Amino acid sequence: MQRRKFLRTAGIGGGAAVVASTVAAPAIAQSMPELKWRLASSFPKSLDTLYGAGENFTKFIGEMTDNKFQVRIFASGEIVPGLQVLDAVQNGTVEMGHSAGTYYIGKDPTLAFDTTLPFGMNARQQEAWMNWGGGKELLGEVYKDYNTISIPCGNTGAQMGGWFRKEIKTPEDMKGLKFRIAGIAGMVCAKLGSVPQQIAGGDIYPALEKGTIDAAEWVGPYDDQKLGFNKIAPYYYYPGWWEGGPQTSAYINLQKWNELPKGYQSVIQSAAARAQAIMLSKYDAENPKALRELMAAGTKLLPFPQSVMEAAFNASNELYAEISAKNPKFKKVYENWKPFRNEEILWFRVAEFTFDSFMARQSAANKLG
Amino acid sequence: MQRRKFLRTAGIGGGAAVVASTVAAPAIAQSMPELKWRLASSFPKSLDTLYGAGENFTKFIGEMTDNKFQVRIFASGEIVPGLQVLDAVQNGTVEMGHSAGTYYIGKDPTLAFDTTLPFGMNARQQEAWMNWGGGKELLGEVYKDYNTISIPCGNTGAQMGGWFRKEIKTPEDMKGLKFRIAGIAGMVCAKLGSVPQQIAGGDIYPALEKGTIDAAEWVGPYDDQKLGFNKIAPYYYYPGWWEGGPQTSAYINLQKWNELPKGYQSVIQSAAARAQAIMLSKYDAENPKALRELMAAGTKLLPFPQSVMEAAFNASNELYAEISAKNPKFKKVYENWKPFRNEEILWFRVAEFTFDSFMARQSAANKLG
């Protein structure tokens, strides 16, 4: 089947060469072969913004190719468990996935750079790193070992710090805290003395209600509201210092990608970029209303104390040094990512943050209404 | 010609219906007609990031359609003067443009909402407003009068405040200042007592050198450095409070747009989204180095004093009330835009700004290097 697909698309090189010329190409059927692919999403349909990015991605691919290139999306668990999407793409069980690198740090923590790391870059800075800072090339090497190409396809923006049953006043309060938090953020929390818990979305509510866990992080107001955490935990902390600009990714099986005509590769990249913009802007548009409603229903909104943020920042740096010492791939990406982050934040402190800060002050003074 | 094109694409309705079905469409030549269009850019090639967004936009359209839909880009002045792109699209002189609504406030100041206004939204907030807040629909009505559809295609991020020959310490210092600043920002500066000047890019340097003007704003470090303003004005102010997230736009003649197959319309939208992401991330990636170099060469980086920002903010609100009083279109958009901005900034103050602020503090404490 794969061999036949290869043969069917093997004549595409000529088509691609025509693309580069300035003369209109004659209509060659092979330049737009009929393909029916499947995409496994790591997200449930209930997370309509995250799942929606995959849905839009596949929809745009169909639209742009007159439905010659059809990709059918399957929600988490429908054909592939949500956290095994990379495996399924690697093995060719599905041609495509929509997922997040950070779900696969058990394979290699380096994959987290494709999403974000605690105290990483914000959404715009992450995109700058991916497009212009070397991120795309470095992560391309890493994903190659998993027979996959990863293309940015979504970002949530800075997330919230989650729902807590008791107040967090000092780093001491993090000690012994049974906190539903996954991945590298969980490893940082462990350094602070917390007991990180990995619990699937649907199981968080009862665990938090019963007191099996003391706190749980999810996404932000729009998604959190749906799960009703506000009914069982009074304190809603911010910011989610472990997810300042987490990116989600479209995965494509590397052989399948290489067999595609250049035109379809371009369609995929543009569809992903458009789906990303729609997803991030939807969170930015929907979160304010959800947060208002949560607060009207009694949620107490609190910032993490600076001392807790500082302790988490130091623990993160320690962790990155430890991982770098034993993982040369992680070290290689980290040593590119870290100075890029530094430069980005230096620059953002100038025009972007001072503009945003002034507007925030006007907001605090009720001058924007 | 237009009639013939219409006839050629009139059979497309059927193709579009097939797109909506789940069965692969048979290869219908008309669903991907061969088109050769022209795009007039408002930007010179020397502004490689701004001009580049139009260039990428046209490149992606070609790539995705196997070069069946070819759009040739022309730089500012090549076939259309830079500030007459909307007219050229309206008249059908060119099918497409890459420009900014704010250039056409002489026709209607409402068009500025398609770019940004002084103390407007940042790049992400503007995108949220366009996609989910009603911006697209409201601006669609406005552009309809100009026989044009406008699609977001680029953003510079927050710009700098420009180059000044003398320090600005109080709002008094803005009085009498001959300041190269255009559009609505110029009207705000006039309220502060400045004398706004409209000077084309290439003529700014000699005017500032001779002292014909006292100050000039352009874009940000990456573009400003090329024009060499640092050699003739020592003070580089931030932020550009009049351009916190200015969006550039792809224009398409409305008849031509309506004649397009749905697939090509989708191609255009995705190409624009991808070009936008690439443009914004390029500025974010290139500005830090340029700013470092400017500062190494002696530029004095200064924030606008809070009192000047406050005076400009108040003058902006006054101006918007005045325009609203006599322009019902402006009023209609403003009354949607203003509460959306308020909600966005309220929300951004929570997760996004506190994350960014913490990282900015770490940067200031030299803890990111």
Side-chain angles (χ1 to χ4, degrees):
Chain A
M1 170 67 184
Q2 194 167 299
R3 186 165 174 78
R4 199 184 302 165
K5 177 82 56 51
F6 177 75
L7 291 172
R8 185 138 56 98
T9 54
I12 298 315
V18 172
V19 170
S21 85
T22 54
V23 181
I28 305 171
Q30 286 88 337
S31 67
M32 291 189 68
E34 286 186 25
L35 298 180
K36 290 191 186 195
W37 280 16
R38 300 192 303 173
L39 177 145
S41 173
S42 286
F43 310 106
K45 285 183 186 169
S46 57
L47 289 172
D48 61 287
T49 309
L50 275 156
Y51 176 79
E55 213 171 23
N56 280 329
F57 173 62
T58 57
K59 189 181 88 168
F60 298 149
I61 292 172
E63 279 179 7
M64 288 195 278
T65 61
D66 258 351
N67 231 20
K68 290 197 185 71
F69 187 1
Q70 293 176 32
V71 187
R72 185 170 167 198
I73 182 171
F74 294 88
S76 171
E78 280 187 5
I79 52 171
V80 172
L83 302 182
Q84 292 172 30
V85 168
L86 179 56
D87 307 82
V89 173
Q90 178 177 2
N91 302 335
T93 308
V94 290
E95 293 87 355
M96 281 181 163
H98 184 233
S99 191
T102 200
Y103 293 158
Y104 310 102
I105 56 168
K107 299 178 192 294
D108 186 342
T110 316
L111 292 163
F113 288 102
D114 193 30
T115 314
T116 192
L117 273 74
F119 303 100
M121 292 180 258
N122 70 20
R124 260 175 64 180
Q125 294 158 356
Q126 175 76 12
E127 189 148 33
W129 181 62
M130 289 300 294
N131 287 339
W132 301 97
K136 190 167 54 184
E137 296 74 14
L138 286 163
L139 292 171
E141 287 173 33
V142 178
Y143 274 108
K144 208 171 180 182
D145 290 344
Y146 303 95
N147 196 33
T148 292
I149 178 166
S150 176
I151 295 172
C153 183
N155 199 303
T156 66
Q159 296 194 3
M160 291 292 286
W163 300 86
F164 289 68
R165 289 164 61 97
K166 56 169 195 166
E167 275 191 73
I168 300 295
K169 292 179 177 166
T170 72
E172 281 299 306
D173 295 326
M174 294 296 285
K175 287 190 180 149
L177 189 85
K178 286 169 282 171
F179 189 11
R180 186 271 173 194
I181 186 166
I184 290 188
M187 294 158 79
V188 173
C189 287
K191 278 190 173 280
L192 300 178
S194 307
V195 188
Q197 314 272 325
Q198 303 231 22
I199 302 174
D203 301 329
I204 303 174
Y205 189 99
L208 193 57
E209 189 177 29
K210 280 186 229 147
T212 313
I213 55 173
D214 305 307
E217 70 92 29
W218 189 235
V219 182
Y222 180 67
D223 289 329
D224 293 8
Q225 187 185 32
K226 291 183 214 159
L227 294 189
F229 296 137
N230 56 309
K231 292 171 207 148
I232 45 171
Y235 305 108
Y236 198 18
Y237 274 91
Y238 64 88
W241 44 261
W242 50 91
E243 288 177 309
Q247 175 178 284
T248 57
S249 308
Y251 288 162
I252 304 108
N253 175 284
L254 198 55
Q255 273 84 49
K256 298 283 178 189
W257 171 261
N258 289 332
E259 287 168 19
L260 285 178
K262 292 273 177 268
Y264 278 5
Q265 290 182 346
S266 186
V267 160
I268 287 173
Q269 285 171 298
S270 298
R274 186 172 167 206
Q276 168 144 331
I278 290 174
M279 169 171 155
L280 180 57
S281 61
K282 185 171 175 187
Y283 272 120
D284 288 344
E286 296 289 353
N287 276 326
K289 181 169 165 281
L291 184 59
R292 268 191 190 283
E293 288 169 1
L294 288 166
M295 292 180 71
T299 285
K300 293 184 189 76
L301 192 66
L302 291 173
F304 279 120
Q306 186 73 7
S307 60
V308 172
M309 298 277 285
E310 291 280 356
F313 179 77
N314 294 336
S316 300
N317 288 340
E318 259 179 51
L319 181 68
Y320 303 152
E322 287 163 17
I323 302 174
S324 291
K326 50 191 179 191
N327 183 330
K329 284 189 203 170
F330 186 96
K331 184 168 188 277
K332 184 177 177 185
V333 180
Y334 184 55
E335 287 182 351
N336 167 276
W337 176 91
K338 194 182 175 189
F340 192 87
R341 178 186 67 173
N342 191 20
E343 286 291 293
E344 283 302 281
I345 293 169
L346 262 172
W347 158 238
F348 270 69
R349 283 169 60 195
V350 181
E352 202 73 36
F353 289 168
T354 56
F355 180 78
D356 285 345
S357 299
F358 180 82
M359 295 307 284
R361 280 197 298 278
Q362 302 310 100
S363 165
N366 272 317
K367 289 185 182 174
L368 296 181
Chain B
M1 169 66 179
Q2 194 165 301
R3 186 165 173 79
R4 199 183 303 165
K5 178 80 55 53
F6 178 76
L7 291 173
R8 186 138 56 98
T9 55
I12 296 318
V18 172
V19 169
S21 87
T22 54
V23 182
I28 304 170
Q30 286 87 337
S31 68
M32 291 190 66
E34 285 187 25
L35 297 179
K36 290 191 185 194
W37 281 15
R38 300 192 301 173
L39 178 146
S41 173
S42 286
F43 310 106
K45 286 182 186 170
S46 57
L47 289 172
D48 60 288
T49 309
L50 275 157
Y51 176 79
E55 213 171 23
N56 280 329
F57 173 61
T58 57
K59 188 181 88 168
F60 298 150
I61 292 173
E63 277 179 7
M64 288 194 277
T65 61
D66 258 352
N67 231 22
K68 291 197 183 70
F69 187 2
Q70 293 177 32
V71 187
R72 185 169 168 198
I73 182 170
F74 293 89
S76 171
E78 279 186 7
I79 52 171
V80 172
L83 302 182
Q84 292 172 31
V85 167
L86 179 55
D87 307 81
V89 173
Q90 179 177 2
N91 303 335
T93 307
V94 290
E95 293 86 356
M96 281 181 162
H98 184 235
S99 190
T102 201
Y103 292 157
Y104 310 102
I105 57 168
K107 299 179 193 294
D108 185 342
T110 317
L111 292 164
F113 287 100
D114 194 30
T115 314
T116 193
L117 273 74
F119 302 100
M121 291 180 259
N122 70 21
R124 261 176 63 180
Q125 294 159 356
Q126 175 76 11
E127 189 147 35
W129 181 64
M130 289 301 294
N131 287 339
W132 300 97
K136 190 168 53 184
E137 295 76 14
L138 286 163
L139 292 171
E141 288 174 31
V142 177
Y143 273 108
K144 209 172 179 180
D145 291 344
Y146 303 95
N147 195 33
T148 292
I149 179 166
S150 176
I151 295 172
C153 183
N155 199 304
T156 65
Q159 296 193 4
M160 291 293 285
W163 300 87
F164 289 68
R165 289 164 59 100
K166 56 169 194 164
E167 272 191 76
I168 300 294
K169 292 180 177 166
T170 72
E172 282 298 306
D173 294 326
M174 293 297 285
K175 287 188 180 150
L177 188 85
K178 285 170 282 171
F179 188 12
R180 187 271 172 194
I181 186 167
I184 291 189
M187 294 157 79
V188 172
C189 287
K191 278 189 173 281
L192 300 178
S194 306
V195 188
Q197 316 271 326
Q198 303 231 24
I199 302 174
D203 300 329
I204 302 173
Y205 189 99
L208 193 59
E209 189 178 29
K210 278 185 229 145
T212 313
I213 55 173
D214 305 307
E217 69 92 30
W218 189 235
V219 183
Y222 180 67
D223 288 329
D224 293 9
Q225 187 185 31
K226 291 183 216 159
L227 294 190
F229 296 137
N230 58 308
K231 292 172 210 149
I232 46 173
Y235 304 107
Y236 197 19
Y237 274 92
Y238 64 89
W241 43 261
W242 50 91
E243 288 177 311
Q247 176 178 280
T248 56
S249 307
Y251 288 161
I252 305 109
N253 176 283
L254 198 54
Q255 273 85 48
K256 298 283 179 191
W257 172 260
N258 289 333
E259 288 167 18
L260 285 178
K262 291 277 178 266
Y264 278 5
Q265 290 182 347
S266 186
V267 160
I268 286 174
Q269 286 171 297
S270 298
R274 186 172 167 204
Q276 168 143 331
I278 291 175
M279 170 172 154
L280 180 56
S281 60
K282 185 172 175 185
Y283 272 120
D284 288 344
E286 295 289 355
N287 276 327
K289 182 170 164 279
L291 184 59
R292 268 192 191 283
E293 288 170 3
L294 288 166
M295 291 180 72
T299 285
K300 292 183 190 77
L301 192 64
L302 290 172
F304 279 121
Q306 186 72 6
S307 61
V308 172
M309 297 278 283
E310 290 280 355
F313 179 77
N314 294 335
S316 300
N317 289 340
E318 259 179 51
L319 180 68
Y320 303 152
E322 287 163 16
I323 302 176
S324 292
K326 49 191 181 190
N327 182 329
K329 283 189 205 172
F330 186 95
K331 184 169 188 279
K332 184 178 176 183
V333 180
Y334 183 56
E335 287 181 353
N336 167 278
W337 176 91
K338 194 181 175 192
F340 191 89
R341 179 186 67 173
N342 192 19
E343 287 290 293
E344 283 303 281
I345 293 169
L346 263 172
W347 157 239
F348 269 70
R349 283 169 59 195
V350 180
E352 202 73 35
F353 290 169
T354 54
F355 180 80
D356 285 345
S357 299
F358 180 81
M359 295 307 285
R361 281 196 298 277
Q362 301 311 100
S363 165
N366 272 318
K367 289 185 181 174
L368 296 181

